[in-house]
Amino acid sequence: MKVSIQIVTWNSLRYIFDCLESLMRQSFRDFSVLIIDNASDDGTVEFIRANYPTVSVLQNFRNLGYARANNQGIQLSTANYVLVMNPDVVLAEDFLEKIVSFAESKPHGGSFGGKILKLRSQAIDEKDEAGLRQMIKSEIIDAAGLAIFKSRQVINRGENEADQNQFERRQEVFGLTGACVLYRRSALLDIAIKNEFFDSDFFAYKEDIDLAWRLRLYGWENWYQPAAVNYHYRQMSAPEVINFKNKFLSRQRSSKILRRFSWRNHHLMLAKNDFFGNLILALPWFLVREIKIILYFLIFEPFQFKNFIEFFRLLPLALIKRKVIMAHRKVEAKGMRQWFK
């Protein structure tokens, strides 16, 4: 198969039908599908095995985390490309055709992503919220690639904007969100550290940004192709910069697990990938953001300070990985500075 599609599930029954049905309707057919399940107990695995006999399932008997589970799938793949996607993603029928054709035209591309629009569900009978639901595709952008700032904040380009064709240009971007991204398998093999592609120490969150950064350091390109459209439920979000006027409530609603890993993994990523000289040049922007976050933690989330201890526990391993990355990099500090806005 030219493409190996892998989906990590964890109690994903409410999403997996729409996701797999969109795969079955693809105009491009040269692909296989692997589900890596992280000990779901909601019937996800049983549903897939009963209804999708051509879909392979690797069942873990404990939750290994998103990063490690994806590494399992990549290690098993022999395809030219690996499509990593979330179970709450639905592909347009020509998504694979568009993204694979584009990838074939970019031999130095390590990763490729399309335009991701937001998706929501609604009860068919409005009086029965727990009953059958219908999928509603929107014209609101979820992500058009990743952008990174001098403060080291990373955002989804265009998130929450109405799609008015403002992101219709094929272009290199800093990276692609892991919700749905096509990787060239040879690029993944090139950047692997001790047979790991995603950093399993991250467990979940920010592992896609870390991988995108490493691809760039190793000289691979990350490309955005707007013609390849997909849709994402994205039930949670993790605002990076704390704006006390309009971000407080959205942060309070987001998962405590997400908030637990977000700060820790972000700083492990910087320790692994950033050039010290570049960080010093960006110090005013970086410090302003860090001070805002620390003040927010002091006032609203004192439990976050446990993550400082966890960060320093994992830092020695991150610095070992940094040595490997910096020894194999093909891009210097100046080449990376162009991506910091």
Side-chain angles (χ1 to χ4, degrees):
M1 296 291 181
K2 184 177 285 289
V3 179
S4 173
I5 299 174
Q6 59 183 54
I7 304 166
V8 173
T9 54
W10 179 66
N11 293 334
S12 306
L13 184 61
R14 64 190 182 277
Y15 300 121
I16 201 64
F17 172 77
D18 290 331
C19 177
L20 291 178
E21 284 299 303
S22 75
L23 294 180
M24 300 303 116
R25 292 193 293 267
Q26 289 298 298
S27 56
F28 177 93
R29 303 304 305 169
D30 193 7
F31 67 88
S32 61
V33 183
L34 173 65
I35 301 292
I36 307 109
D37 185 77
N38 270 335
S40 293
D41 59 10
D42 67 342
T44 297
V45 171
E46 293 78 6
F47 174 81
I48 295 167
R49 286 177 170 158
N51 295 281
Y52 297 93
T54 61
V55 173
S56 301
V57 178
L58 172 61
Q59 189 173 11
N60 294 317
F61 292 98
R62 63 185 179 91
N63 188 348
L64 300 181
Y66 182 82
R68 187 172 171 186
N70 267 310
N71 288 340
Q72 289 178 308
I74 296 167
Q75 287 163 356
L76 291 170
S77 174
T78 58
N80 294 344
Y81 299 97
V82 178
L83 179 71
V84 173
M85 62 183 290
N86 287 358
D88 59 351
V89 166
V90 171
L91 305 182
E93 292 182 9
D94 61 353
F95 174 85
L96 283 177
E97 180 182 343
K98 297 286 189 184
I99 202 77
V100 173
S101 173
F102 183 68
E104 295 280 75
S105 71
K106 300 293 181 184
H108 299 295
S111 71
F112 308 87
K115 182 192 294 183
I116 308 179
L117 300 174
K118 289 190 180 292
L119 189 65
R120 65 184 180 89
S121 64
Q122 178 177 294
I124 292 175
D125 181 352
E126 294 183 0
K127 297 179 181 179
D128 183 14
E129 284 293 328
L132 294 174
R133 307 185 72 80
Q134 62 180 337
M135 178 176 61
I136 300 175
K137 297 176 180 178
S138 79
E139 294 298 321
I140 304 299
I141 294 171
D142 186 78
L146 298 173
I148 188 167
F149 295 89
K150 291 176 182 177
S151 65
R152 296 324 190 244
Q153 177 193 9
V154 182
I155 66 166
N156 294 313
R157 294 196 318 150
E159 185 172 6
N160 294 323
E161 296 180 18
D163 182 18
Q164 298 177 336
N165 299 322
Q166 67 270 47
F167 294 102
E168 289 303 295
R169 184 166 66 90
R170 302 175 184 179
Q171 64 182 109
E172 278 195 74
V173 289
F174 175 74
L176 288 313
T177 175
C180 186
V181 54
L182 183 75
Y183 293 104
R184 191 182 302 276
R185 184 167 165 271
S186 59
L188 292 175
L189 294 174
D190 182 42
I191 67 167
I193 300 176
K194 292 186 177 180
N195 295 320
E196 277 196 356
F197 312 98
F198 293 102
D199 191 331
S200 61
D201 288 333
F202 282 35
F203 191 82
Y205 306 116
K206 303 294 180 78
E207 73 291 319
D208 51 347
I209 307 171
D210 173 67
L211 182 54
W213 201 325
R214 197 174 347 134
L215 281 168
R216 288 230 156 267
L217 285 170
Y218 278 57
W220 292 95
E221 300 165 353
N222 301 317
W223 282 92
Y224 167 69
Q225 161 59 302
V229 177
N230 57 99
Y231 300 85
H232 188 202
Y233 278 105
R234 196 182 290 275
Q235 297 298 302
M236 299 180 294
S237 61
E240 287 288 346
V241 174
I242 307 305
N243 180 323
F244 290 94
K245 292 182 179 179
N246 57 29
K247 291 289 179 71
F248 174 71
L249 290 177
S250 66
R251 188 174 177 87
Q252 288 298 97
R253 286 194 293 266
S254 68
S255 165
K256 191 173 182 178
I257 294 174
L258 183 153
R259 286 177 278 155
R260 173 189 164 195
F261 288 122
S262 182
W263 184 92
R264 184 198 75 177
N265 291 351
H266 180 79
H267 290 79
L268 288 173
M269 175 182 69
L270 297 183
K272 287 172 60 182
N273 301 298
D274 210 350
F275 288 97
F276 294 131
N278 283 352
L279 194 56
I280 289 171
L281 289 173
L283 206 56
W285 297 272
F286 179 75
L287 287 179
V288 166
R289 178 173 175 271
E290 291 297 304
I291 290 168
K292 285 183 178 180
I293 291 174
I294 290 171
L295 288 174
Y296 182 93
F297 287 172
L298 281 170
I299 299 169
F300 297 109
E301 295 182 358
F303 70 87
Q304 291 280 12
F305 287 96
K306 293 180 181 178
N307 295 325
F308 285 70
I309 298 172
E310 186 71 4
F311 166 74
F312 285 107
R313 183 182 72 82
L314 292 171
L315 183 59
L317 287 173
L319 293 177
I320 291 171
K321 294 169 186 175
R322 176 186 177 84
K323 288 183 179 179
V324 176
I325 293 167
M326 292 301 162
H328 290 85
R329 74 178 190 269
K330 296 182 176 65
V331 176
E332 299 300 325
K334 184 178 180 180
M336 288 301 300
R337 282 201 294 273
Q338 64 176 305
W339 298 106
F340 301 119
K341 299 181 182 297

